[in-house]
Amino acid sequence: MERIYADNAATTRISDEVLAAMMPFLKENFANPSSYHSAGREVRVAIENARKKIASVIDCDAAEIYFTSGGTESDNWAIRGAARLSNGKKHIISSKIEHNAVLNTLKSLEKDGFEITYLDVDRNGFVSPESLEKAIRPDTALITVMFANNETGAVQPTDEIGKIAKKHGVLFHSDVVQAFGHLPINVKKTNIDMLSFSGHKFNGPKGVGGLYIKRGVMLPNLIYGGKQENGRRAGTENAAAIVGMGAAAEIAAKEMKTESARLETLREKLICGLLSGIDGCVRNTPEKNSLPGIANVSLPFAEGEALVLMLDLKGITASSGSACMSGTKDPSHVLTAMGLDEKTAHGAVRFSFDRYTTEKDADTILSVFPDIAKKLRDLSRI
Ligand SMILES: *Cc1c(COP(=O)(O)O)cnc(C)c1O
């Protein structure tokens, strides 16, 4: 049975071209890029090349990109750094739909005396710029709102949020992990001060990511040690991973236009097919302003975990919208924030696509899923 991988929002497969670009840095080019010998300098050049490729994806200077171990570290750095930079200001504005890398970092700051406003979202999962502006106080140190949600794909009004942040002189961080390399982002136009990204969400390797820090933002270190990354993020560079992420960024930028159009077509074909093929199926991914590759639907009469297991048996790797991984039975905090009732939130399934997803994959999901839904519906009636 040929398996279909439709869990790309969790992680993507490393591209063949990316792996090929990495191999020399895992084998013969292993020297430390901080060394002065030619072998070290060669690695240094490759890292700086990758930095340029990454920078061009969001239209910033290469010197404003700092490599980290991934999206989680970047979120921690931006938020904890901004808190230490805050000059006694103790208020942060975020949203109820952030990734746990942001939410749990904020929780840790609550213990340090910070007060966090978690903005509500509407039925489609969007933060309202008006309520964000109303939430700003004289002691607001940071706004951190994600660019696009990892469960539903909802793309937030980041341009407006950036304008408001600038108008009030508040630092603005955005977790752009799901959108980086998938949607056009321009940090100059959007007034983002700090932006997190992660290699393994755009067909690069895991364990590598980065933080864009706008020139002039004096974010203190999260990691102390050597002088790497301009003295702002210590530790010997993961050269192979950085080179791989650079290659992945270059490919993503080149393919962005055609891939986003292609995936959006597949997404709509799948969602519309499921809505018409399954009685009671609910759409959680907004029709407009959403990531091209994420399709989230709910079957209120079924459990997301059961749906995922039955899809798995049919060779389809998908994800439930809820936090089943942690063993809890709590429904997704994102879908709950959107106002879904508990049954609907529990019945969520997310299919997420990437450059390796074919139209045939979407067709297969469409032909398999309604039968699974029917089985579970019949069971729920017994
Ligand atoms: C995956 C993800 C992260 C975490 O990134 P890692 O590189 O896995 O640490 C953070 N935020 C969002 C929105 C994500 O999708």
Side-chain angles (χ1 to χ4, degrees):
M1 178 169 61
E2 208 176 306
R3 295 196 59 93
I4 292 172
Y5 183 77
D7 196 15
N8 289 285
T11 193
T12 56
R13 166 188 157 181
I14 198 166
S15 294
D16 301 335
E17 306 91 310
V18 169
L19 185 61
M22 289 170 70
M23 283 315 279
F25 297 90
L26 292 164
K27 290 165 122 184
E28 58 268 26
N29 290 348
F30 59 83
N32 193 316
S34 297
S35 301
Y36 287 115
H37 43 66
S38 58
R41 286 201 311 269
E42 219 174 284
V43 180
R44 167 66 47 211
V45 167
I47 288 176
E48 295 317 315
N49 257 331
R51 201 184 308 277
K52 281 181 206 145
K53 289 175 186 174
I54 293 280
S56 81
V57 174
I58 55 170
D59 206 21
C60 69
D61 285 349
E64 295 171 304
I65 295 291
Y66 298 86
F67 293 123
T68 67
S69 66
T72 301
E73 183 190 324
S74 298
D75 287 342
N76 272 266
W77 185 10
I79 294 168
R80 296 197 67 84
R84 282 172 53 203
L85 197 63
S86 73
N87 260 330
K89 294 181 180 176
K90 287 281 189 184
H91 179 235
I92 295 174
I93 301 173
S94 187
S95 81
K96 288 189 175 161
I97 58 157
E98 298 298 310
H99 189 273
N100 276 333
V102 167
L103 287 179
N104 285 330
T105 303
L106 291 173
K107 245 189 223 162
S108 79
L109 288 178
E110 284 180 31
K111 292 203 185 88
D112 297 341
F114 278 82
E115 195 185 324
I116 323 286
T117 300
Y118 298 95
L119 296 170
D120 287 318
V121 293
D122 65 16
R123 180 63 185 78
N124 288 313
F126 296 117
V127 163
S128 136
E130 293 76 34
S131 33
L132 180 131
E133 186 157 26
K134 276 195 202 122
I136 294 179
R137 313 191 316 209
D139 65 337
T140 304
L142 173 73
I143 295 168
T144 173
V145 174
M146 71 198 319
F147 193 95
N149 184 263
N150 47 297
E151 289 188 29
T152 67
V155 175
Q156 301 302 319
T158 304
D159 282 351
E160 279 105 309
I161 295 172
K163 274 197 199 104
I164 294 167
K166 188 172 185 175
K167 182 174 143 196
H168 294 270
V170 179
L171 268 185
F172 176 31
H173 164 252
S174 186
D175 175 337
V176 181
V177 171
Q178 283 292 333
F180 193 96
H182 301 288
L183 288 178
I185 294 153
N186 182 316
V187 286
K188 292 206 181 88
K189 277 199 204 135
T190 310
N191 186 48
I192 296 175
D193 295 305
M194 296 171 285
L195 176 159
S196 307
F197 58 94
S198 173
H200 73 102
K201 302 293 175 73
F202 54 99
N203 301 100
K206 300 182 209 330
V208 69
L211 186 67
Y212 155 80
I213 308 175
K214 191 186 201 162
R215 182 167 286 116
V217 175
M218 299 316 236
L219 196 72
N221 285 24
L222 182 70
I223 311 265
Y224 294 91
K227 290 226 168 18
Q228 292 90 354
E229 298 298 291
N230 231 348
R232 298 182 80 174
R233 200 285 187 180
T236 302
E237 297 89 338
N238 187 350
I242 290 169
V243 167
M245 182 165 66
E250 190 172 38
I251 296 168
K254 201 167 67 196
E255 294 181 347
M256 191 181 291
K257 236 184 165 160
T258 50
E259 269 302 283
S260 63
R262 187 182 76 85
L263 292 181
E264 192 170 336
T265 306
L266 291 190
R267 181 195 79 201
E268 283 311 299
K269 185 178 184 188
L270 176 64
I271 294 180
C272 295
L274 295 178
L275 289 174
S276 63
I278 305 170
D279 254 5
C281 181
V282 176
R283 172 180 190 131
N284 297 325
T285 291
E287 276 169 61
K288 274 195 202 132
N289 295 322
S290 64
L291 287 171
I294 293 187
N296 190 316
V297 296
S298 277
L299 309 186
F301 50 82
E303 292 280 331
E305 290 80 1
L307 292 164
V308 167
L309 288 178
M310 288 179 75
L311 282 162
D312 198 14
L313 292 174
K314 297 280 182 191
I316 296 166
T317 304
S319 161
S320 71
S322 69
C324 59
M325 307 290 232
S326 56
T328 70
K329 272 289 198 171
D330 292 340
S332 142
H333 68 281
V334 175
L335 301 177
T336 307
M338 285 161 61
L340 268 65
D341 61 70
E342 204 174 310
K343 272 191 146 29
T344 310
H346 265 305
V349 181
R350 178 188 69 189
F351 301 98
S352 46
F353 301 155
D354 80 339
R355 67 196 293 254
Y356 289 106
T357 308
T358 64
E359 180 160 20
K360 192 164 152 263
D361 294 342
D363 289 341
T364 305
I365 297 169
L366 253 180
S367 71
V368 166
F369 197 48
D371 283 341
I372 291 174
K374 188 175 176 305
K375 270 198 197 117
L376 284 174
R377 186 200 296 277
D378 292 346
L379 276 176
S380 76
R381 284 185 176 143
I382 292 170

